[in-house]
């Protein structure tokens, strides 16, 4: 690109357009096209917001019909037919089958806003202030969400201290030797200096943090540890929910029931801004209007969110497909990693990472992949991980094609 | 409504659906319809997000076409053709005609997020931490935005202190006798205990705060006071921008150029989530990715935002219409107020308030209006103000019809 | 001084030794002597810790006897005969005659510690966090005390933000036009953004702040304002108590009864470290040991404190003498000020200030006075005030002698 | 005691007088006497402020002479002959023999104040805000010192959050398996969420925390960990310094040189309030007066502090005696513990703890000891430890006598 309006008018804060230097125009299924007509296979999926692919035709028609029929677009928290449809579908397809007695809050249409609301609610319920977060966590950029996020550069950008939180070692952070021991001991010694917390906030898989996986036993132990001490457990399922790891909620494999769940990204189905906070009915201590937000009633997203639940979560077809494709992805990556000494892989469902011994390799692989027509990004505290997160709906051929491109990119960098 | 899914599944936090107890289904122009087919004239306009009315046909077609053509829906901050179109239009129709050398940041699609980004940037630029805010201010519900918001109940819901800010009296708060004197003196005495601030954040008209108007001279003095002391001036134009008070930016009447401007609500045109942070090019000290957000690239809103600028801000037709209708509204309200002793009115452009001596009257008027088929909400610290904020595009007949309903409602309550 | 151990071993943080560059050896009454035998008349009085002069023979004998008899020196908060003597004397000579139902806390032997304890207690009693302080206030250097202190350089030395406090304009700060209006309005508007405070902390005369006097009516209005809103009133009488302004407590002239009073400096009588927190019995909500400190039982100071009360506060002789000498001091200063255009004076009892139009004059006068054999320091946010605070026990001749030296110094600087 | 002035006038906050319900009158050497003439052997030593015993005749004479000669009592930070004597003695007897290039700050006469100054200085030097503290730490009750103290009840008494600090596991807290691993990993991962700290503050033995001993290797590793990352190491030697563990500084056995050392308690020699902050000369970045305090120049304590150094720290007689008596104390306690199943002992020099399996036993032993004429207190997060801290100067007979009383008390409780 020569000096474009992006360079001259958009702020330096822009990021992805530097990694993928082209101008995108259209997208469908697992593919994006730039204005020159070049196609890119998407192993990025809108950072998790496009689990069902681009311009999914099922949603598209419902969305266009809703708009053409003058359906309510913007409603704050007024009752609308679109919201009713979503609430009923959530209840019938998500809560009832899983035995969840959850209430639903619409907190403003971003994951950060869902996290902000979750933190507020936990503090309100308990009357305590401290929230425990984990190393390498990512929960968003607004001041509350940032206070439980790990990245030092992003924290520094707040320009103020981020108090009332305390980081704890995530599963594996200390080499796997009982990372919860410190939390448990600190909570149980009244002179530890750790103020009694309102809540713990956790991702079951840390996407931005480098595809770090919490083991099932660790999640269970964390849930028990919290329950035994009257500390609320908040799961941030913004990126790992909606089937990314297989089941609808990423925490289902551990058989735990969080007190509060933050949802966003793919919950809207079509990539439209939407977020939810779910919590046990007993925790619904909000007063009317205590948390609000102008775009908390983004009805077009309610429509596509409902259709997404109906289409993909009435049965277990998608879940099984994700797990099957995930195994194929894992196997393919293992093979690729084997060809590049020191490289390891990890993942669950359709979120996987290629971890490089030399952190700079990850960025080079991402760059090489882009040139080959594949979008993959990096993550981790030193950007040492190539993060593979395709639409859940990609075909077997697309998966293989993507693996082939990754293999080529890795070979070029590692060779 | 009998016990509905809203009662059983949605959180207690819901608010507007209690004030307006019906289920809305469709909307167009200045009218909403509930599922029973009843129509409501809209003097609320999505709390300022629907300045151009509901389902505006100009935007609707562009939006549907974009969707049907598989335009990019979700792009984070990748470059897209839709974003380019918006940036060029902002530059050509908004910045250049007004002599503004502004950069544009896409901070996540809510006003709160725009405010969060603005506060971060101001702190980063100055290396200072304190931000001065004003009595009765409203800037949003995330922790940073809430820290500069005045409402005690909403502040308390944070569950933690909201530090690094300091409230100052807004124009008129002390009866109009030089409300800036305290700020000026405190800033100029190095032993005042007021830490040197990074920025001042202000609304030119406080909508949630009760339709409090800052006078032109006060805004100018505030801007000079900041400039002379190297303190950044942030205008939150989330609700008052996009022509609500007449001109595109609400601060234009004062001839000032804020360092940073937060925009949201009607900037997206069609009621879709979108937000912008605008700032002087010299202030663009962001590092890439330092502030981000999954839905910062909501391309459908970029499309309708662009069309809105083209349609309404290529000339001064809308601005003049707003001012003219505003005068008509003001006159009508003055007449109504005259019939209810102790009631006063205030406003600018198409944002006006009816202020009742007995605060409970405002809520009763709002309730009576709903029953008559008119949506108006209340605001102010004791909800003492009926807030009138119709779409800017309403017709003269609609305006008169609305005034008639308000008059009837006031008479019923006040009589 | 050539390079001495003060230069080579003591930290740069030392201050007074730079202003008064000599090595002091002994002191008695109103006079200090340096090791070269040079004498200095003391119009500084240990920054208020030596109201009864140096080495006051009444206290000296009691102190030496106590030490020689192996009286308990250090007792934390064990019961001792010395403490009992002090408590009984406080009760009989201070509380009972003034109708005060106060409890006594020994918080550690510094004014800052008394302020820390007062702030804790107020927050504990009310369950609120914010404390309102005043412009130009000085309450100490530990983190809590510093958070209610005004001086920007001293605040900056904390290296962290100083939250949970909010500065308010002191009497006269805005030119005398109802400085309490802002506090009152902000407290009474629930959307002001000022969080409901636990307490207000105030000095009746701001010594470090530049000898700023709160008027009796203002103090009364402040007390009423607090009482009507269930906000605790803390008077920091560390420097202005013990007769400095005439009566034992500086707030007596206003006829108010603070909820909490911080005392230190001259309360120990002989310049020995000691501090007290006094509060209404109903506020004694401390749990045992909730605030402590190793040196809170400095028994030698309890002995001299008791003797000081017996000697000086069994009748009103000292109080009347202070007021009389204060008038003489005021008259003398007025005359001196008259000879130096733009110079003004202010004060109460035996604390007075000479305020210079050119702030640098104050430091020069202090320097000239030192060379003439008189110790006076400067205060105020630009060090624009020469602060005159002799021992309350100085003789009329000493007062006149001091006034003469000040006159000479002012003439030298101003001429 | 019948209802005394302590009950009616002193605040509920008083503590020790409840544990030891008598009124003390005089004290000398290792003994206190109450007003009824009953004698108590002191295994408490003013919580560490009376290392050299009560009314030590060497100091007493020097102190009385100084007072009788009208020596300067109170000097803030003016230069005085008494301060010069102390600075020279510190230099010659403490710094030079140990090769320490330290500067000396007089921060106000309490340990908390020394800690406050140390934290400020570390933040100023580094420009960072976070300070790491340890589980079960005790550093004082003012807001800054409290923020690095572990005890939950004392922290809660602040009434506000205590931000800008982060607790870390102390040696042994996690069972001895590399407690520094968490700190090291969190510091070295830029996405850990632990903000880069200014300093670490540590006690080499935690007295209030329950006589927890940091091993020499752990202290060395901590020092190296800090040095390698440009983090300042602050040792709080308020209770463990001045020979309590044998050498003058408690950290000498580890061969480390802290960046900053806080001293108080026994530094004044005679139980008089005094405190010091020592730091490497390169760290002396204070501006004049940036930290101050009215009683920072408590000259009587300077005199006794100097004499204490001359008397006890010109040679290694005291140090060797402490170690020898410490061994005797340890052996005696081991024997006592052996008679009470589940009881363990730990200690260093003349600070030892008897740790009971049933925490309530410790308080009962303390109570029984008091009745037998021995003062010992409890410590630890559940008050499970009887803390033995006699004057360093006690005789062998007194040591044996005390051991005998403890044995009797333990037998009575445990039997």
């Amino acid at each position: 690109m020569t000096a474009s309006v992006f360079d001259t008018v958009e702020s330096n804060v822009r990021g992805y357009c530097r990694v993928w230097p082209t101008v995108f125009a259209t997208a469908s299924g697992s593919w994006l096209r730039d204005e020159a007509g070049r196609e890119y296979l998407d192993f990025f999926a809108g950072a998790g917001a496009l689990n069902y692919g681009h311009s999914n035709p099922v949603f598209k028609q419902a969305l266009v019909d809703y708009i053409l029929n003058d359906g309510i677009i913007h409603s704050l928290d007024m009752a609308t037919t679109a919201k009713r449809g979503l609430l009923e579908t959530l209840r019938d397809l998500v809560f009832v089958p899983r035995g969840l007695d959850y209430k639903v809050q619409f907190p403003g249409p971003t994951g950060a806003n869902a996290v902000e609301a979750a933190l507020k609610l936990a503090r309100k319920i308990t009357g305590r202030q401290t929230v425990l977060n984990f190393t390498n966590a990512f929960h968003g950029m607004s001041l509350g969400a940032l206070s439980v996020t790990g990245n030092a550069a992003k924290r520094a950008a707040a320009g103020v201290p981020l108090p009332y939180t305390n980081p704890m070692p995530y599963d594996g952070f200390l080499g796997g030797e009982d990372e919860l021991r410190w939390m448990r001991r600190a909570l149980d010694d009244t002179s530890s200096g750790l103020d009694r917390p309102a809540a713990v906030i956790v991702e079951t898989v840390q996407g931005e943090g480098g595809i770090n996986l919490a083991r099932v036993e660790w999640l269970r132990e964390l849930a028990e540890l919290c329950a035994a001490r009257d500390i609320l457990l908040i799961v941030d399922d913004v990126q790992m929910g909606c089937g990314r790891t297989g089941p609808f909620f990423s925490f289902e494999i551990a058989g735990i029931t969080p007190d509060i769940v933050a949802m966003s990204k793919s919950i809207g189905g079509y990539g439209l801004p939407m977020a939810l906070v779910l919590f046990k009915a007993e925790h619904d201590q909000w007063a009317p209007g205590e948390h609000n937000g102008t775009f908390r009633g983004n009805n077009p997203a309610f429509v596509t969110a409902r259709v997404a639940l109906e289409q993909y979560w009435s049965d277990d077809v998608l879940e099984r497909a994700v797990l099957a494709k995930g195994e194929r992805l894992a196997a393919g990556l293992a093979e690729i990693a084997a060809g590049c000494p020191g490289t390891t892989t990890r993942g669950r469902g359709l979120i996987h990472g290629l971890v490089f011994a030399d952190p700079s390799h990850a960025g080079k692989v991402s760059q090489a992949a882009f040139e080959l027509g594949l979008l993959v990004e990096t993550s981790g505290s030193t950007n040492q991980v190539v993060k593979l997160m395709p639409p859940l709906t990609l075909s077997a051929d697309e998966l293989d094609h993507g693996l082939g491109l990754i293999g080529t990119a890795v070979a070029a960098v590692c060779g």
Side-chain angles (χ1 to χ4, degrees), chain A residues 12 15 17 132 182 272 362:
Chain A
N12 286 328
C17 60
L132 304 184
W182 164 230
L272 301 176

Side-chain angles (χ1 to χ4, degrees), chain A residues 131-135 137 139 147-150 155 165-169 201:
Chain A
V131 170
L132 304 184
N133 57 320
F134 287 102
T135 52
H139 299 289
S147 73
V148 287
T149 290
R155 290 174 69 83
T165 62
N166 198 291
M168 287 286 154
I201 184 165

Side-chain angles (χ1 to χ4, degrees), chain A residues 76-88 106 299 302:
Chain A
L76 296 121
D77 57 13
M78 290 140 80
T80 66
T81 51
K83 190 200 266 188
R84 183 168 58 201
L86 174 58
L87 285 169
E88 290 174 347
F106 296 88
N299 284 259
F302 295 168

